[in-house]
Amino acid sequence: MILTGKHLIAGEWIGGDEIFQNEPVEGAADSFAKGRVADVNAACEAAEDAFASYAATNRTERAAFLRRIGDEIEERGAEITAIGTRETGLPEARLEGERGRTCGQLRLFAEHIEAGDYLDRRYDEALPDRAPLPRPDLRMMQHPIGPVAVFGASNFPLAFSTAGGDTASALAAGCPVVVKGHSAHPGVSDIVAQAIDAARQACNLHPGVFSQIQGGNRAVGTVLVQHPLIKAVGFTGSLGGGRALFDLCAQRPEPIPFFGELGSVNPMFVLPAAQAARAAEIGADWAGSLTMGCGQFCTNPGIAVLSSGAGADTLVDAAEAALRDVAPQPMLTPSMAETYARDSAALAGRAGIETRLHATSNGRNGAPVLLEVSARQFLADPDMAHEVFGPLGLVVRADSEDEVLEIARGLEGQLTCTLHLDDADVEPGRALLPILTRKAGRVLANGFPTGVEVADTMVHGGPYPASTNFGATSVGTLAIRRFLRPVCYQNMPAFLLPEDLSIDSPR
């Protein structure tokens, strides 16, 4: 494994005078160049220079590029896993699975653009004899919007970072990408950037098609989203950081879309019949989902709303027993562990909260916390519904179906909402589902939201604050639509029409 420790800008590895270091779980730290304003300018200018030629590539050429990126990442798989486990504390199996997902979504987008449906081609034939006015020949298709900025995520060093879904969908659309790497895993970002650049060279593409600026300097993100050559931003991260960048995008002389995934508690509602029949099973499985990856998933199911009646105690007891068997796990960075310890203690100290389990976190490790509160107290204190990033679960006990519905109506936007129900739960399920459909981008039945399938139909987004654009997704082939815009051609001569919209092209 050879780390460059540098930024990749238009095919060149660029260093700098200032450095920062990663924070490995064990072993010596590695040094990386800090990002500078000059690096942002150079990367954005190169991306704009590359746009004309890259947007003009055909779908077969871009699909080959995406597949080659996947191949190059796989060739470096052992090196990526080695540095990734050191930097993040995530186990080898998790990183290997995430690498497979990353390469899989690159290939999925290759297949998607080859099929051509994403272009949404439409044709209204000319009607010269129509009265009272003739109709012109009208043809429409989607076009790439221009250079896209992508922010790497802390909790997914592969699938939501350098070559993750935002980058894959933007490249598939025909947009050059400038990545702002996350300082939690600069080594992984370095190697993946090497893979992308090797693929770019093999496909003989303009060097400005992809650049990456390492972290270590928050000002880089501010400058990047404000750069006049950037036309959209993809972001996965905290509510505070994302909202600040979103506001900057809106305040630009030319406002641009900010596709941010910001935060979600992913509540689950356990309905009476399911609770009575499967309480112990649901409780134990919830504990497993809650602590997966030390609770550092954006789909971590942090709140369980229980119905009054049979099974409620059994479910909570089963969850508590399962959580007691979970040892403390390393969190992604020391600062995240500190934040989790602070936020979990603050929530446990709020009025009306009962602590069922508060295992001791130490140093960089995070340990499970299980809290309980009545629906009445939960509804009176909206801050209880805010995300705590880590393995914390909050049980909310409702005394009536009306309280359950009131909790659902009061939710902020979510990535996911889950219903646990049996056949006898028809009526409460029918009452809840329309409410939850308004609140979340994905609604599950009898499952757990951790684990987001990469597929055509997946929606990973939701109303604010889950994301900043409720009409978008960062997972699944629909994600490409974020980086496209429709153009209508009226009475355009055939020889000027884009190849994908030509007279003989399929529609």
Side-chain angles (χ1 to χ4, degrees):
M1 178 179 64
I2 301 176
L3 296 175
T4 71
K6 299 179 179 180
H7 316 295
L8 173 63
I9 300 176
E12 301 291 333
W13 294 95
I14 307 296
D17 296 332
E18 292 189 79
I19 64 169
F20 73 100
Q21 292 186 316
N22 58 7
E23 299 178 286
V25 174
E26 57 183 23
D30 303 293
S31 297
F32 301 86
K34 282 188 177 182
R36 303 166 299 188
V37 172
D39 299 321
V40 175
N41 292 333
C44 293
E45 289 166 6
E48 176 64 22
D49 193 50
F51 178 62
S53 63
Y54 188 59
T57 56
N58 62 44
R59 291 179 278 124
T60 300
E61 291 169 329
R62 293 202 303 281
F65 179 38
L66 294 171
R67 291 190 175 102
R68 185 60 182 261
I69 294 172
D71 293 343
E72 295 287 349
I73 290 173
E74 287 179 340
E75 286 185 14
R76 295 162 176 79
E79 292 84 356
I80 291 170
T81 299
I83 187 66
T85 54
R86 288 184 57 242
E87 287 187 320
T88 67
L90 296 172
E92 289 186 7
R94 154 70 194 276
L95 286 167
E96 289 167 0
E98 191 180 333
R99 185 177 73 246
R101 170 187 170 141
T102 303
C103 296
Q105 65 189 2
L106 286 161
R107 292 167 181 142
L108 177 65
F109 277 111
E111 295 172 2
H112 184 61
I113 61 175
E114 283 177 332
D117 293 343
Y118 79 100
L119 293 167
D120 194 16
R121 289 171 284 197
R122 305 183 185 201
Y123 176 39
D124 287 309
E125 186 177 3
L127 299 174
D129 298 325
R130 189 184 67 175
L133 294 172
R135 185 174 75 187
D137 180 282
L138 299 171
R139 299 166 189 266
M140 187 274 283
M141 64 175 276
Q142 301 286 338
H143 281 264
I145 60 174
V148 171
V150 170
F151 284 70
S154 63
N155 57 339
F156 280 87
L158 291 162
F160 282 86
S161 290
T162 301
D166 289 345
T167 297
S169 54
L171 292 175
C175 298
V177 171
V178 178
V179 169
K180 196 273 189 183
H182 199 288
S183 56
H185 46 76
V188 173
S189 301
D190 190 317
I191 298 175
V192 174
Q194 294 179 42
I196 297 174
D197 194 52
R200 178 199 62 76
Q201 294 180 59
C203 295
N204 195 31
L205 296 171
H206 190 295
V209 163
F210 176 85
S211 293
Q212 176 173 266
I213 303 165
Q214 287 284 15
N217 182 359
R218 290 190 175 183
V220 166
T222 299
V223 174
L224 183 57
V225 301
Q226 291 181 308
H227 199 285
L229 296 178
I230 292 297
K231 300 305 178 184
V233 178
F235 174 90
T236 299
S238 69
L239 175 59
R243 181 56 198 252
L245 294 175
F246 172 80
D247 290 344
L248 289 174
C249 287
Q251 292 163 8
R252 288 173 34 144
E254 177 202 2
I256 59 172
F258 179 86
F259 299 103
E261 181 204 308
L262 307 185
S264 181
V265 292
N266 306 293
M268 17 179 269
F269 293 79
V270 186
L271 302 190
Q275 183 174 287
R278 298 183 282 116
E281 176 188 346
I282 293 171
D285 289 347
W286 178 40
S289 179
L290 190 66
T291 56
M292 185 182 295
C294 202
Q296 299 168 113
F297 281 70
C298 41
T299 52
N300 177 35
I303 292 178
V305 180
L306 306 189
S307 305
S308 61
D313 291 339
T314 301
L315 191 154
V316 179
D317 290 345
E320 180 182 344
L323 291 172
R324 288 189 182 279
D325 291 336
V326 177
Q329 304 171 63
M331 299 196 74
L332 293 163
T333 66
S335 62
M336 288 183 187
E338 293 172 8
T339 300
Y340 171 64
R342 182 190 68 232
D343 291 350
S344 58
L347 182 58
R350 300 192 79 85
I353 292 281
E354 175 189 351
T355 299
R356 296 292 300 254
L357 172 66
H358 200 145
T360 302
S361 299
N362 54 78
R364 183 168 176 161
N365 291 327
V369 174
L370 182 63
L371 308 175
E372 186 174 324
V373 69
S374 69
R376 180 177 54 81
Q377 290 279 0
F378 181 81
L379 290 166
D381 187 350
D383 286 345
M384 290 185 187
H386 292 171
E387 180 183 27
V388 175
F389 194 63
L392 179 145
L394 175 63
V395 174
V396 181
R397 294 212 191 206
D399 290 329
S400 67
E401 183 179 344
D402 287 342
E403 281 191 337
V404 172
L405 295 175
E406 188 176 356
I407 290 169
R409 292 189 188 100
L411 289 172
E412 294 183 316
Q414 305 291 328
L415 293 172
T416 74
C417 289
T418 299
L419 286 169
H420 289 278
L421 71 169
D422 284 355
D423 290 345
D425 290 313
V426 172
E427 292 308 316
R430 284 178 173 168
L432 265 173
L433 184 57
I435 301 171
L436 301 185
T437 300
R438 292 191 65 187
K439 300 294 183 177
R442 178 165 56 117
V443 185
L444 299 80
N446 295 328
F448 294 89
T450 42
V452 182
E453 186 69 26
V454 179
D456 285 331
T457 51
M458 179 51 63
V459 173
H460 192 62
Y464 185 85
S467 61
T468 55
N469 189 311
F470 57 78
T473 176
S474 60
V475 180
T477 52
L478 187 62
I480 196 173
R481 294 295 294 271
R482 299 174 297 171
F483 308 123
L484 298 166
R485 66 180 183 87
V487 176
C488 176
Y489 296 88
Q490 182 169 326
N491 290 334
M492 191 63 60
F495 63 85
L496 285 181
L497 285 172
E499 179 182 352
D500 281 320
L501 203 55
S502 67
I503 301 299
D504 297 326
S505 67
R507 298 185 180 86

mmCIF file with all atom_site columns, all heavy atoms in Angstrom, residues 304-329:
data_model
loop_
_atom_site.group_PDB
_atom_site.id
_atom_site.type_symbol
_atom_site.label_atom_id
_atom_site.label_alt_id
_atom_site.label_comp_id
_atom_site.label_asym_id
_atom_site.label_entity_id
_atom_site.label_seq_id
_atom_site.pdbx_PDB_ins_code
_atom_site.Cartn_x
_atom_site.Cartn_y
_atom_site.Cartn_z
_atom_site.occupancy
_atom_site.B_iso_or_equiv
_atom_site.pdbx_formal_charge
_atom_site.auth_seq_id
_atom_site.auth_comp_id
_atom_site.auth_asym_id
_atom_site.auth_atom_id
_atom_site.pdbx_PDB_model_num
ATOM 1   N N   . ALA A 1 304 ? -38.243 3.337   19.412 1.00 0.00 ? 304 ALA A N   1
ATOM 2   C CA  . ALA A 1 304 ? -39.260 2.287   19.296 1.00 0.00 ? 304 ALA A CA  1
ATOM 3   C C   . ALA A 1 304 ? -40.506 2.739   20.036 1.00 0.00 ? 304 ALA A C   1
ATOM 4   O O   . ALA A 1 304 ? -40.470 2.968   21.254 1.00 0.00 ? 304 ALA A O   1
ATOM 5   C CB  . ALA A 1 304 ? -38.756 0.963   19.871 1.00 0.00 ? 304 ALA A CB  1
ATOM 6   N N   . VAL A 1 305 ? -41.602 2.892   19.305 1.00 0.00 ? 305 VAL A N   1
ATOM 7   C CA  . VAL A 1 305 ? -42.881 3.299   19.900 1.00 0.00 ? 305 VAL A CA  1
ATOM 8   C C   . VAL A 1 305 ? -43.692 2.033   20.148 1.00 0.00 ? 305 VAL A C   1
ATOM 9   O O   . VAL A 1 305 ? -44.058 1.318   19.205 1.00 0.00 ? 305 VAL A O   1
ATOM 10  C CB  . VAL A 1 305 ? -43.645 4.257   18.974 1.00 0.00 ? 305 VAL A CB  1
ATOM 11  C CG1 . VAL A 1 305 ? -44.970 4.672   19.620 1.00 0.00 ? 305 VAL A CG1 1
ATOM 12  C CG2 . VAL A 1 305 ? -42.798 5.487   18.656 1.00 0.00 ? 305 VAL A CG2 1
ATOM 13  N N   . LEU A 1 306 ? -43.971 1.744   21.407 1.00 0.00 ? 306 LEU A N   1
ATOM 14  C CA  . LEU A 1 306 ? -44.678 0.521   21.782 1.00 0.00 ? 306 LEU A CA  1
ATOM 15  C C   . LEU A 1 306 ? -46.139 0.828   22.087 1.00 0.00 ? 306 LEU A C   1
ATOM 16  O O   . LEU A 1 306 ? -46.473 1.902   22.601 1.00 0.00 ? 306 LEU A O   1
ATOM 17  C CB  . LEU A 1 306 ? -44.035 -0.129  23.001 1.00 0.00 ? 306 LEU A CB  1
ATOM 18  C CG  . LEU A 1 306 ? -42.538 -0.426  22.928 1.00 0.00 ? 306 LEU A CG  1
ATOM 19  C CD1 . LEU A 1 306 ? -42.120 -1.275  24.127 1.00 0.00 ? 306 LEU A CD1 1
ATOM 20  C CD2 . LEU A 1 306 ? -42.174 -1.124  21.625 1.00 0.00 ? 306 LEU A CD2 1
ATOM 21  N N   . SER A 1 307 ? -46.969 -0.134  21.770 1.00 0.00 ? 307 SER A N   1
ATOM 22  C CA  . SER A 1 307 ? -48.388 -0.027  22.096 1.00 0.00 ? 307 SER A CA  1
ATOM 23  C C   . SER A 1 307 ? -48.614 -0.467  23.531 1.00 0.00 ? 307 SER A C   1
ATOM 24  O O   . SER A 1 307 ? -47.824 -1.230  24.101 1.00 0.00 ? 307 SER A O   1
ATOM 25  C CB  . SER A 1 307 ? -49.205 -0.922  21.147 1.00 0.00 ? 307 SER A CB  1
ATOM 26  O OG  . SER A 1 307 ? -48.934 -0.595  19.811 1.00 0.00 ? 307 SER A OG  1
ATOM 27  N N   . SER A 1 308 ? -49.686 0.013   24.125 1.00 0.00 ? 308 SER A N   1
ATOM 28  C CA  . SER A 1 308 ? -50.030 -0.452  25.462 1.00 0.00 ? 308 SER A CA  1
ATOM 29  C C   . SER A 1 308 ? -50.507 -1.898  25.380 1.00 0.00 ? 308 SER A C   1
ATOM 30  O O   . SER A 1 308 ? -50.967 -2.364  24.342 1.00 0.00 ? 308 SER A O   1
ATOM 31  C CB  . SER A 1 308 ? -51.127 0.434   26.058 1.00 0.00 ? 308 SER A CB  1
ATOM 32  O OG  . SER A 1 308 ? -52.295 0.357   25.251 1.00 0.00 ? 308 SER A OG  1
ATOM 33  N N   . GLY A 1 309 ? -50.343 -2.610  26.455 1.00 0.00 ? 309 GLY A N   1
ATOM 34  C CA  . GLY A 1 309 ? -50.869 -3.968  26.476 1.00 0.00 ? 309 GLY A CA  1
ATOM 35  C C   . GLY A 1 309 ? -49.794 -5.031  26.459 1.00 0.00 ? 309 GLY A C   1
ATOM 36  O O   . GLY A 1 309 ? -48.617 -4.783  26.750 1.00 0.00 ? 309 GLY A O   1
ATOM 37  N N   . ALA A 1 310 ? -50.201 -6.243  26.093 1.00 0.00 ? 310 ALA A N   1
ATOM 38  C CA  . ALA A 1 310 ? -49.355 -7.425  26.211 1.00 0.00 ? 310 ALA A CA  1
ATOM 39  C C   . ALA A 1 310 ? -48.085 -7.279  25.386 1.00 0.00 ? 310 ALA A C   1
ATOM 40  O O   . ALA A 1 310 ? -48.101 -6.786  24.271 1.00 0.00 ? 310 ALA A O   1
ATOM 41  C CB  . ALA A 1 310 ? -50.125 -8.662  25.760 1.00 0.00 ? 310 ALA A CB  1
ATOM 42  N N   . GLY A 1 311 ? -46.981 -7.740  25.975 1.00 0.00 ? 311 GLY A N   1
ATOM 43  C CA  . GLY A 1 311 ? -45.722 -7.834  25.249 1.00 0.00 ? 311 GLY A CA  1
ATOM 44  C C   . GLY A 1 311 ? -44.786 -6.666  25.415 1.00 0.00 ? 311 GLY A C   1
ATOM 45  O O   . GLY A 1 311 ? -43.601 -6.775  25.095 1.00 0.00 ? 311 GLY A O   1
ATOM 46  N N   . ALA A 1 312 ? -45.261 -5.526  25.912 1.00 0.00 ? 312 ALA A N   1
ATOM 47  C CA  . ALA A 1 312 ? -44.396 -4.353  25.983 1.00 0.00 ? 312 ALA A CA  1
ATOM 48  C C   . ALA A 1 312 ? -43.208 -4.601  26.905 1.00 0.00 ? 312 ALA A C   1
ATOM 49  O O   . ALA A 1 312 ? -42.053 -4.330  26.545 1.00 0.00 ? 312 ALA A O   1
ATOM 50  C CB  . ALA A 1 312 ? -45.187 -3.134  26.443 1.00 0.00 ? 312 ALA A CB  1
ATOM 51  N N   . ASP A 1 313 ? -43.464 -5.118  28.111 1.00 0.00 ? 313 ASP A N   1
ATOM 52  C CA  . ASP A 1 313 ? -42.368 -5.402  29.038 1.00 0.00 ? 313 ASP A CA  1
ATOM 53  C C   . ASP A 1 313 ? -41.421 -6.438  28.468 1.00 0.00 ? 313 ASP A C   1
ATOM 54  O O   . ASP A 1 313 ? -40.195 -6.332  28.603 1.00 0.00 ? 313 ASP A O   1
ATOM 55  C CB  . ASP A 1 313 ? -42.916 -5.866  30.386 1.00 0.00 ? 313 ASP A CB  1
ATOM 56  C CG  . ASP A 1 313 ? -43.626 -4.763  31.162 1.00 0.00 ? 313 ASP A CG  1
ATOM 57  O OD1 . ASP A 1 313 ? -43.365 -3.572  30.864 1.00 0.00 ? 313 ASP A OD1 1
ATOM 58  O OD2 . ASP A 1 313 ? -44.435 -5.091  32.045 1.00 0.00 ? 313 ASP A OD2 1
ATOM 59  N N   . THR A 1 314 ? -41.996 -7.465  27.847 1.00 0.00 ? 314 THR A N   1
ATOM 60  C CA  . THR A 1 314 ? -41.163 -8.527  27.271 1.00 0.00 ? 314 THR A CA  1
ATOM 61  C C   . THR A 1 314 ? -40.227 -7.977  26.202 1.00 0.00 ? 314 THR A C   1
ATOM 62  O O   . THR A 1 314 ? -39.051 -8.338  26.132 1.00 0.00 ? 314 THR A O   1
ATOM 63  C CB  . THR A 1 314 ? -42.062 -9.617  26.662 1.00 0.00 ? 314 THR A CB  1
ATOM 64  O OG1 . THR A 1 314 ? -42.903 -10.149 27.684 1.00 0.00 ? 314 THR A OG1 1
ATOM 65  C CG2 . THR A 1 314 ? -41.226 -10.737 26.051 1.00 0.00 ? 314 THR A CG2 1
ATOM 66  N N   . LEU A 1 315 ? -40.750 -7.090  25.359 1.00 0.00 ? 315 LEU A N   1
ATOM 67  C CA  . LEU A 1 315 ? -39.929 -6.525  24.283 1.00 0.00 ? 315 LEU A CA  1
ATOM 68  C C   . LEU A 1 315 ? -38.776 -5.707  24.857 1.00 0.00 ? 315 LEU A C   1
ATOM 69  O O   . LEU A 1 315 ? -37.614 -5.857  24.435 1.00 0.00 ? 315 LEU A O   1
ATOM 70  C CB  . LEU A 1 315 ? -40.802 -5.657  23.373 1.00 0.00 ? 315 LEU A CB  1
ATOM 71  C CG  . LEU A 1 315 ? -40.186 -5.198  22.051 1.00 0.00 ? 315 LEU A CG  1
ATOM 72  C CD1 . LEU A 1 315 ? -41.281 -4.929  21.011 1.00 0.00 ? 315 LEU A CD1 1
ATOM 73  C CD2 . LEU A 1 315 ? -39.342 -3.934  22.203 1.00 0.00 ? 315 LEU A CD2 1
ATOM 74  N N   . VAL A 1 316 ? -39.064 -4.866  25.831 1.00 0.00 ? 316 VAL A N   1
ATOM 75  C CA  . VAL A 1 316 ? -38.008 -4.029  26.410 1.00 0.00 ? 316 VAL A CA  1
ATOM 76  C C   . VAL A 1 316 ? -36.994 -4.887  27.147 1.00 0.00 ? 316 VAL A C   1
ATOM 77  O O   . VAL A 1 316 ? -35.772 -4.658  27.045 1.00 0.00 ? 316 VAL A O   1
ATOM 78  C CB  . VAL A 1 316 ? -38.614 -2.961  27.339 1.00 0.00 ? 316 VAL A CB  1
ATOM 79  C CG1 . VAL A 1 316 ? -37.513 -2.114  27.969 1.00 0.00 ? 316 VAL A CG1 1
ATOM 80  C CG2 . VAL A 1 316 ? -39.583 -2.066  26.574 1.00 0.00 ? 316 VAL A CG2 1
ATOM 81  N N   . ASP A 1 317 ? -37.455 -5.884  27.876 1.00 0.00 ? 317 ASP A N   1
ATOM 82  C CA  . ASP A 1 317 ? -36.533 -6.771  28.591 1.00 0.00 ? 317 ASP A CA  1
ATOM 83  C C   . ASP A 1 317 ? -35.626 -7.514  27.615 1.00 0.00 ? 317 ASP A C   1
ATOM 84  O O   . ASP A 1 317 ? -34.427 -7.693  27.866 1.00 0.00 ? 317 ASP A O   1
ATOM 85  C CB  . ASP A 1 317 ? -37.315 -7.783  29.439 1.00 0.00 ? 317 ASP A CB  1
ATOM 86  C CG  . ASP A 1 317 ? -38.006 -7.133  30.641 1.00 0.00 ? 317 ASP A CG  1
ATOM 87  O OD1 . ASP A 1 317 ? -37.652 -5.989  30.980 1.00 0.00 ? 317 ASP A OD1 1
ATOM 88  O OD2 . ASP A 1 317 ? -38.912 -7.779  31.212 1.00 0.00 ? 317 ASP A OD2 1
ATOM 89  N N   . ALA A 1 318 ? -36.185 -7.963  26.495 1.00 0.00 ? 318 ALA A N   1
ATOM 90  C CA  . ALA A 1 318 ? -35.381 -8.689  25.509 1.00 0.00 ? 318 ALA A CA  1
ATOM 91  C C   . ALA A 1 318 ? -34.336 -7.779  24.872 1.00 0.00 ? 318 ALA A C   1
ATOM 92  O O   . ALA A 1 318 ? -33.187 -8.189  24.649 1.00 0.00 ? 318 ALA A O   1
ATOM 93  C CB  . ALA A 1 318 ? -36.290 -9.281  24.433 1.00 0.00 ? 318 ALA A CB  1
ATOM 94  N N   . ALA A 1 319 ? -34.734 -6.551  24.584 1.00 0.00 ? 319 ALA A N   1
ATOM 95  C CA  . ALA A 1 319 ? -33.773 -5.603  24.014 1.00 0.00 ? 319 ALA A CA  1
ATOM 96  C C   . ALA A 1 319 ? -32.654 -5.307  25.009 1.00 0.00 ? 319 ALA A C   1
ATOM 97  O O   . ALA A 1 319 ? -31.470 -5.293  24.652 1.00 0.00 ? 319 ALA A O   1
ATOM 98  C CB  . ALA A 1 319 ? -34.491 -4.317  23.622 1.00 0.00 ? 319 ALA A CB  1
ATOM 99  N N   . GLU A 1 320 ? -33.037 -5.093  26.270 1.00 0.00 ? 320 GLU A N   1
ATOM 100 C CA  . GLU A 1 320 ? -32.027 -4.809  27.288 1.00 0.00 ? 320 GLU A CA  1
ATOM 101 C C   . GLU A 1 320 ? -31.064 -5.978  27.455 1.00 0.00 ? 320 GLU A C   1
ATOM 102 O O   . GLU A 1 320 ? -29.832 -5.791  27.528 1.00 0.00 ? 320 GLU A O   1
ATOM 103 C CB  . GLU A 1 320 ? -32.706 -4.504  28.621 1.00 0.00 ? 320 GLU A CB  1
ATOM 104 C CG  . GLU A 1 320 ? -31.719 -4.187  29.738 1.00 0.00 ? 320 GLU A CG  1
ATOM 105 C CD  . GLU A 1 320 ? -32.405 -3.929  31.075 1.00 0.00 ? 320 GLU A CD  1
ATOM 106 O OE1 . GLU A 1 320 ? -33.623 -3.696  31.095 1.00 0.00 ? 320 GLU A OE1 1
ATOM 107 O OE2 . GLU A 1 320 ? -31.685 -3.962  32.108 1.00 0.00 ? 320 GLU A OE2 1
ATOM 108 N N   . ALA A 1 321 ? -31.587 -7.191  27.492 1.00 0.00 ? 321 ALA A N   1
ATOM 109 C CA  . ALA A 1 321 ? -30.721 -8.368  27.658 1.00 0.00 ? 321 ALA A CA  1
ATOM 110 C C   . ALA A 1 321 ? -29.748 -8.504  26.496 1.00 0.00 ? 321 ALA A C   1
ATOM 111 O O   . ALA A 1 321 ? -28.561 -8.807  26.687 1.00 0.00 ? 321 ALA A O   1
ATOM 112 C CB  . ALA A 1 321 ? -31.582 -9.624  27.780 1.00 0.00 ? 321 ALA A CB  1
ATOM 113 N N   . ALA A 1 322 ? -30.242 -8.277  25.277 1.00 0.00 ? 322 ALA A N   1
ATOM 114 C CA  . ALA A 1 322 ? -29.373 -8.386  24.111 1.00 0.00 ? 322 ALA A CA  1
ATOM 115 C C   . ALA A 1 322 ? -28.306 -7.287  24.110 1.00 0.00 ? 322 ALA A C   1
ATOM 116 O O   . ALA A 1 322 ? -27.147 -7.517  23.749 1.00 0.00 ? 322 ALA A O   1
ATOM 117 C CB  . ALA A 1 322 ? -30.203 -8.318  22.836 1.00 0.00 ? 322 ALA A CB  1
ATOM 118 N N   . LEU A 1 323 ? -28.688 -6.086  24.519 1.00 0.00 ? 323 LEU A N   1
ATOM 119 C CA  . LEU A 1 323 ? -27.731 -4.977  24.541 1.00 0.00 ? 323 LEU A CA  1
ATOM 120 C C   . LEU A 1 323 ? -26.652 -5.180  25.596 1.00 0.00 ? 323 LEU A C   1
ATOM 121 O O   . LEU A 1 323 ? -25.506 -4.746  25.418 1.00 0.00 ? 323 LEU A O   1
ATOM 122 C CB  . LEU A 1 323 ? -28.460 -3.654  24.786 1.00 0.00 ? 323 LEU A CB  1
ATOM 123 C CG  . LEU A 1 323 ? -29.355 -3.163  23.640 1.00 0.00 ? 323 LEU A CG  1
ATOM 124 C CD1 . LEU A 1 323 ? -30.171 -1.967  24.085 1.00 0.00 ? 323 LEU A CD1 1
ATOM 125 C CD2 . LEU A 1 323 ? -28.534 -2.827  22.414 1.00 0.00 ? 323 LEU A CD2 1
ATOM 126 N N   . ARG A 1 324 ? -26.987 -5.832  26.704 1.00 0.00 ? 324 ARG A N   1
ATOM 127 C CA  . ARG A 1 324 ? -25.988 -6.087  27.747 1.00 0.00 ? 324 ARG A CA  1
ATOM 128 C C   . ARG A 1 324 ? -24.876 -6.994  27.241 1.00 0.00 ? 324 ARG A C   1
ATOM 129 O O   . ARG A 1 324 ? -23.761 -6.983  27.774 1.00 0.00 ? 324 ARG A O   1
ATOM 130 C CB  . ARG A 1 324 ? -26.649 -6.683  28.990 1.00 0.00 ? 324 ARG A CB  1
ATOM 131 C CG  . ARG A 1 324 ? -27.486 -5.697  29.769 1.00 0.00 ? 324 ARG A CG  1
ATOM 132 C CD  . ARG A 1 324 ? -27.960 -6.237  31.099 1.00 0.00 ? 324 ARG A CD  1
ATOM 133 N NE  . ARG A 1 324 ? -28.803 -5.269  31.790 1.00 0.00 ? 324 ARG A NE  1
ATOM 134 C CZ  . ARG A 1 324 ? -28.350 -4.243  32.500 1.00 0.00 ? 324 ARG A CZ  1
ATOM 135 N NH1 . ARG A 1 324 ? -27.034 -4.070  32.614 1.00 0.00 ? 324 ARG A NH1 1
ATOM 136 N NH2 . ARG A 1 324 ? -29.187 -3.406  33.092 1.00 0.00 ? 324 ARG A NH2 1
ATOM 137 N N   . ASP A 1 325 ? -25.170 -7.789  26.238 1.00 0.00 ? 325 ASP A N   1
ATOM 138 C CA  . ASP A 1 325 ? -24.159 -8.698  25.682 1.00 0.00 ? 325 ASP A CA  1
ATOM 139 C C   . ASP A 1 325 ? -23.278 -8.038  24.630 1.00 0.00 ? 325 ASP A C   1
ATOM 140 O O   . ASP A 1 325 ? -22.371 -8.674  24.093 1.00 0.00 ? 325 ASP A O   1
ATOM 141 C CB  . ASP A 1 325 ? -24.843 -9.920  25.056 1.00 0.00 ? 325 ASP A CB  1
ATOM 142 C CG  . ASP A 1 325 ? -25.489 -10.819 26.093 1.00 0.00 ? 325 ASP A CG  1
ATOM 143 O OD1 . ASP A 1 325 ? -25.051 -10.786 27.266 1.00 0.00 ? 325 ASP A OD1 1
ATOM 144 O OD2 . ASP A 1 325 ? -26.436 -11.547 25.738 1.00 0.00 ? 325 ASP A OD2 1
ATOM 145 N N   . VAL A 1 326 ? -23.556 -6.773  24.300 1.00 0.00 ? 326 VAL A N   1
ATOM 146 C CA  . VAL A 1 326 ? -22.782 -6.075  23.260 1.00 0.00 ? 326 VAL A CA  1
ATOM 147 C C   . VAL A 1 326 ? -21.638 -5.315  23.916 1.00 0.00 ? 326 VAL A C   1
ATOM 148 O O   . VAL A 1 326 ? -21.856 -4.412  24.730 1.00 0.00 ? 326 VAL A O   1
ATOM 149 C CB  . VAL A 1 326 ? -23.684 -5.110  22.466 1.00 0.00 ? 326 VAL A CB  1
ATOM 150 C CG1 . VAL A 1 326 ? -22.852 -4.332  21.442 1.00 0.00 ? 326 VAL A CG1 1
ATOM 151 C CG2 . VAL A 1 326 ? -24.803 -5.874  21.768 1.00 0.00 ? 326 VAL A CG2 1
ATOM 152 N N   . ALA A 1 327 ? -20.431 -5.679  23.550 1.00 0.00 ? 327 ALA A N   1
ATOM 153 C CA  . ALA A 1 327 ? -19.255 -5.014  24.104 1.00 0.00 ? 327 ALA A CA  1
ATOM 154 C C   . ALA A 1 327 ? -19.073 -3.637  23.475 1.00 0.00 ? 327 ALA A C   1
ATOM 155 O O   . ALA A 1 327 ? -19.539 -3.394  22.355 1.00 0.00 ? 327 ALA A O   1
ATOM 156 C CB  . ALA A 1 327 ? -18.013 -5.871  23.853 1.00 0.00 ? 327 ALA A CB  1
ATOM 157 N N   . PRO A 1 328 ? -18.409 -2.722  24.172 1.00 0.00 ? 328 PRO A N   1
ATOM 158 C CA  . PRO A 1 328 ? -18.091 -1.436  23.553 1.00 0.00 ? 328 PRO A CA  1
ATOM 159 C C   . PRO A 1 328 ? -17.320 -1.634  22.248 1.00 0.00 ? 328 PRO A C   1
ATOM 160 O O   . PRO A 1 328 ? -16.499 -2.543  22.138 1.00 0.00 ? 328 PRO A O   1
ATOM 161 C CB  . PRO A 1 328 ? -17.232 -0.741  24.610 1.00 0.00 ? 328 PRO A CB  1
ATOM 162 C CG  . PRO A 1 328 ? -17.643 -1.372  25.906 1.00 0.00 ? 328 PRO A CG  1
ATOM 163 C CD  . PRO A 1 328 ? -17.943 -2.799  25.568 1.00 0.00 ? 328 PRO A CD  1
ATOM 164 N N   . GLN A 1 329 ? -17.610 -0.785  21.274 1.00 0.00 ? 329 GLN A N   1
ATOM 165 C CA  . GLN A 1 329 ? -16.975 -0.880  19.963 1.00 0.00 ? 329 GLN A CA  1
ATOM 166 C C   . GLN A 1 329 ? -16.318 0.452   19.615 1.00 0.00 ? 329 GLN A C   1
ATOM 167 O O   . GLN A 1 329 ? -16.806 1.506   20.019 1.00 0.00 ? 329 GLN A O   1
ATOM 168 C CB  . GLN A 1 329 ? -18.021 -1.205  18.892 1.00 0.00 ? 329 GLN A CB  1
ATOM 169 C CG  . GLN A 1 329 ? -18.843 -2.456  19.142 1.00 0.00 ? 329 GLN A CG  1
ATOM 170 C CD  . GLN A 1 329 ? -19.982 -2.557  18.144 1.00 0.00 ? 329 GLN A CD  1
ATOM 171 O OE1 . GLN A 1 329 ? -19.755 -2.675  16.946 1.00 0.00 ? 329 GLN A OE1 1
ATOM 172 N NE2 . GLN A 1 329 ? -21.202 -2.512  18.639 1.00 0.00 ? 329 GLN A NE2 1
#
